């Protein structure tokens, strides 16, 4: 096999390799008389990707350049990391690369990528072939009853509301609505997770045909990868799916140039998890009502203090100004005086109250003695004339 790819199409091939790298770790190449196929499969075999580049995508194309058999083309498997080294920056490859040549070296069993850049710079990458076999997935996309065509922006904006920890998404499609929600395992407590559900109107899609109502669940990692691929190429997205258990197929194509198929396995959502949200919410409301009824009950709880207040008051603290409190005998005398004052009249009451005031000591004075700087100036025997003629500080000026 030998082919030449012009500069503008090298960018498309680079974005394709980067998109496939988010699916699997191995890249399968297969050449046919009219196209080259790139395939990959993830480790759990739940996601498959196939991208077909037609003959018009290349400026030169010979599928059996080194083969003696006219019907035999290239079939090989290479490492995905090795392929990424030849396409490190696909965003700017159309401005830097003039031509890309891909060919098979039959003697060393290596796939060669020759990148011809501007200013005569040539980069050659030798990629070892791991195995000479092809890989094919079995799925159907022509006889499905559910078909949706739309821009990838609809799903990209919808997934922006999901949590980064969500790894699966559930789609519920019928003739009147299209619902997306995050999948939650039945073993997780629903009161400790965030539920996200988005309802998309059928009128927002370019084409919306639902022949069979279905609910399917698939992985989010590969779904985001194919959305990024469609966004980079500014192409619409087609969804073709059936019932639960059969794969969902996402198609991105550009007329007669290339066509990409992304196939994701589906699973049935846990109905108990979906239905348990309502009883759980009712139980939460019931607990709230119980708490509210307890708060409105006439029984009031006494405040409980773990701190000994008497011990705190005995300790010295700058937050309190202490005074001497009269002893119990003095208090009894005050009560007797007040009781006797009731029979003697208002004048005796005032007189006895003054005596009571004399019993209570005044506020304590500060123990710190403040020294007056100009103490002598405020003495009664001070005579200002006694310091006349005495120069305490001379003038600093010469005059």
């Amino acid at each position: 096999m030998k082919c030449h790819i012009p500069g503008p199409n090298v960018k498309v091939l680079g974005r394709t390799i980067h998109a496939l790298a988010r699916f699997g770790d191995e890249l399968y190449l297969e050449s046919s008389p009219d196209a080259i196929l790139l395939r990959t499969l993830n480790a759990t075999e739940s996601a498959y990707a196939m991208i077909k580049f037609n003959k018009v995508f290349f400026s030169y194309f010979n599928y059996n350049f080194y083969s003696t058999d006219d019907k035999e083309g290239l079939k090989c498997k290479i490492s995905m990391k090795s392929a990424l080294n030849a396409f490190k920056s696909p965003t700017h490859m159309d401005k830097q690369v003039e031509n890309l040549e891909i060919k098979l070296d039959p003697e060393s069993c290596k796939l060669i990528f020759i990148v011809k850049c501007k200013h005569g710079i040539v980069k050659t990458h030798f990629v070892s072939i791991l195995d000479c076999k092809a890989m094919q997935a079995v799925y159907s996309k022509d006889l499905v009853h559910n078909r949706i065509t739309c821009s990838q922006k609809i799903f990209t904006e919808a997934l922006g509301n999901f949590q980064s920890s969500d790894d699966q998404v559930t789609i519920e499609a019928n003739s009147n609505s299209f619902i997306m929600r995050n999948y939650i395992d039945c073993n997780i407590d629903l009161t400790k997770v965030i539920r996200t559900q988005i309802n998309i109107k059928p009128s927002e899609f370019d084409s919306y045909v639902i022949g069979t109502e279905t609910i399917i669940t698939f992985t989010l990692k590969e779904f985001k990868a194919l959305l990024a691929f469609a966004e980079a190429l500014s192409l619409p997205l087609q969804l073709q799916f059936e019932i639960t258990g059969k794969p969902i197929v996402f198609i991105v194509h550009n007329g007669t140039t290339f066509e990409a198929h992304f196939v994701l396995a589906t699973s049935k959502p846990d109905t108990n998890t979906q239905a348990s949200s309502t009883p759980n919410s009712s139980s939460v409301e019931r607990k709230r009502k119980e708490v509210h009824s307890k708060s409105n009950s006439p029984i009031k709880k006494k405040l409980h203090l773990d701190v000994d207040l008497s011990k705190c008051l005995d300790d010295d603290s700058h937050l309190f100004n202490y005074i001497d409190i009269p002893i119990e005998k003095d208090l009894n005398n005050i009560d007797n005086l007040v009781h006797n004052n009731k029979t003697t009249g208002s004048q005796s009451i005032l007189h006895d109250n003054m005596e009571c005031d004399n019993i209570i000591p005044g506020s304590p004075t500060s123990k710190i003695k403040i020294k007056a700087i100009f103490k002598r100036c405020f003495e009664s025997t001070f005579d200002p004339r006694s310091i006349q003629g005495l120069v305490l500080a001379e003038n600093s000026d010469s005059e």
Side-chain angles (χ1 to χ4, degrees), residues 41 92 95 122 134 170 221 258 276 300 306 309 314 394:
L41 183 69
H92 306 288
K95 300 179 181 179
V122 179
T170 300
K221 178 184 175 182
F258 74 93
S276 61
K300 296 183 179 180
D306 296 333
L309 294 178
D314 291 339
E394 296 181 357

Side-chain angles (χ1 to χ4, degrees), residues 202-226:
S203 59
E204 298 185 19
F205 300 99
D206 298 336
S207 176
Y208 189 82
V209 178
I210 302 297
T212 304
E213 296 183 1
T214 182
I215 302 176
I216 55 177
T217 301
F218 51 89
T219 58
L220 265 177
K221 178 184 175 182
E222 290 79 8
F223 186 38
K224 292 180 179 179
L226 66 92

Side-chain angles (χ1 to χ4, degrees), residues 181-215:
R181 59 173 173 264
N182 60 333
Y183 175 79
I184 297 177
D185 192 3
C186 60
N187 297 325
I188 300 177
D189 187 4
L190 296 180
T191 60
K192 298 181 180 179
V193 296
I194 299 177
R195 301 297 302 271
T196 305
Q197 179 171 311
I198 299 175
N199 189 358
I200 304 176
K201 296 181 180 180
S203 59
E204 298 185 19
F205 300 99
D206 298 336
S207 176
Y208 189 82
V209 178
I210 302 297
T212 304
E213 296 183 1
T214 182
I215 302 176

Side-chain angles (χ1 to χ4, degrees), residues 191 279-296:
T191 60
N280 281 343
S281 60
S282 61
S283 63
V284 172
E285 291 294 334
R286 185 170 59 255
K287 291 181 180 179
R288 289 179 179 176
K289 291 180 180 179
E290 291 177 358
V291 173
H292 182 69
S293 61
K294 290 181 180 180
S295 62
N296 294 334

Side-chain angles (χ1 to χ4, degrees), residues 338 341 348-358:
V338 173
N341 288 338
S348 61
I349 290 176
L350 294 175
H351 178 72
D352 293 335
N353 285 339
M354 292 177 63
E355 293 181 357
C356 293
D357 293 339
N358 294 330

Side-chain angles (χ1 to χ4, degrees), residues 120-344:
I121 300 175
V122 179
K123 300 178 182 180
T124 304
H125 301 270
F126 296 89
V127 180
S128 301
I129 296 177
L130 303 178
D131 198 355
C132 295
K133 65 178 182 179
M135 186 260 298
Q136 178 66 40
V138 179
Y139 61 94
S140 176
K141 67 181 183 62
D142 297 328
L143 302 178
V144 297
H145 301 90
N146 303 329
R147 298 174 181 269
I148 299 175
T149 303
C150 65
S151 174
Q152 51 80 27
K153 293 183 180 179
I154 296 178
F155 294 110
T156 302
E157 293 176 355
L159 293 181
N161 299 284
F162 286 74
Q163 303 295 318
S164 58
S165 58
D166 296 333
D167 56 353
Q168 293 185 357
V169 60
T170 300
I171 288 180
E172 180 178 352
N174 53 52
S175 58
N176 298 323
S177 64
F178 184 88
I179 300 175
M180 297 179 62
R181 59 173 173 264
N182 60 333
Y183 175 79
I184 297 177
D185 192 3
C186 60
N187 297 325
I188 300 177
D189 187 4
L190 296 180
T191 60
K192 298 181 180 179
V193 296
I194 299 177
R195 301 297 302 271
T196 305
Q197 179 171 311
I198 299 175
N199 189 358
I200 304 176
K201 296 181 180 180
S203 59
E204 298 185 19
F205 300 99
D206 298 336
S207 176
Y208 189 82
V209 178
I210 302 297
T212 304
E213 296 183 1
T214 182
I215 302 176
I216 55 177
T217 301
F218 51 89
T219 58
L220 265 177
K221 178 184 175 182
E222 290 79 8
F223 186 38
K224 292 180 179 179
L226 66 92
L227 289 178
F229 175 74
E231 181 182 3
L233 301 180
S234 301
L235 294 175
L237 185 66
Q238 296 182 7
L239 284 73
Q240 299 181 4
F241 55 96
E242 294 184 76
I243 59 176
T244 301
K246 293 188 177 181
I248 178 173
V249 182
F250 299 89
I251 301 176
V252 180
H253 66 90
N254 184 18
T256 59
T257 306
F258 74 93
E259 184 176 355
H261 293 182
F262 302 95
V263 185
L264 305 182
T266 63
S267 60
K268 186 177 181 180
D270 190 359
T271 56
N272 295 329
T273 304
Q274 304 296 334
S276 61
S277 59
T278 303
N280 281 343
S281 60
S282 61
S283 63
V284 172
E285 291 294 334
R286 185 170 59 255
K287 291 181 180 179
R288 289 179 179 176
K289 291 180 180 179
E290 291 177 358
V291 173
H292 182 69
S293 61
K294 290 181 180 180
S295 62
N296 294 334
S297 61
I299 302 174
K300 296 183 179 180
K301 295 182 179 180
K302 294 183 180 180
L303 295 176
H304 177 70
L305 298 177
D306 296 333
V307 183
D308 189 359
L309 294 178
S310 61
K311 183 179 179 181
C312 294
L313 293 176
D314 291 339
D315 297 336
D316 189 13
S317 177
H318 66 281
L319 297 178
F320 300 94
N321 292 324
Y322 296 101
I323 61 175
D324 296 332
I325 300 176
I327 59 177
E328 184 177 0
K329 293 181 178 179
D330 296 334
L331 294 176
N332 294 332
N333 294 333
I334 295 173
D335 294 337
N336 295 330
L337 291 173
V338 173
H339 178 71
N340 295 329
N341 288 338
K342 293 181 180 179
T343 59
T344 57

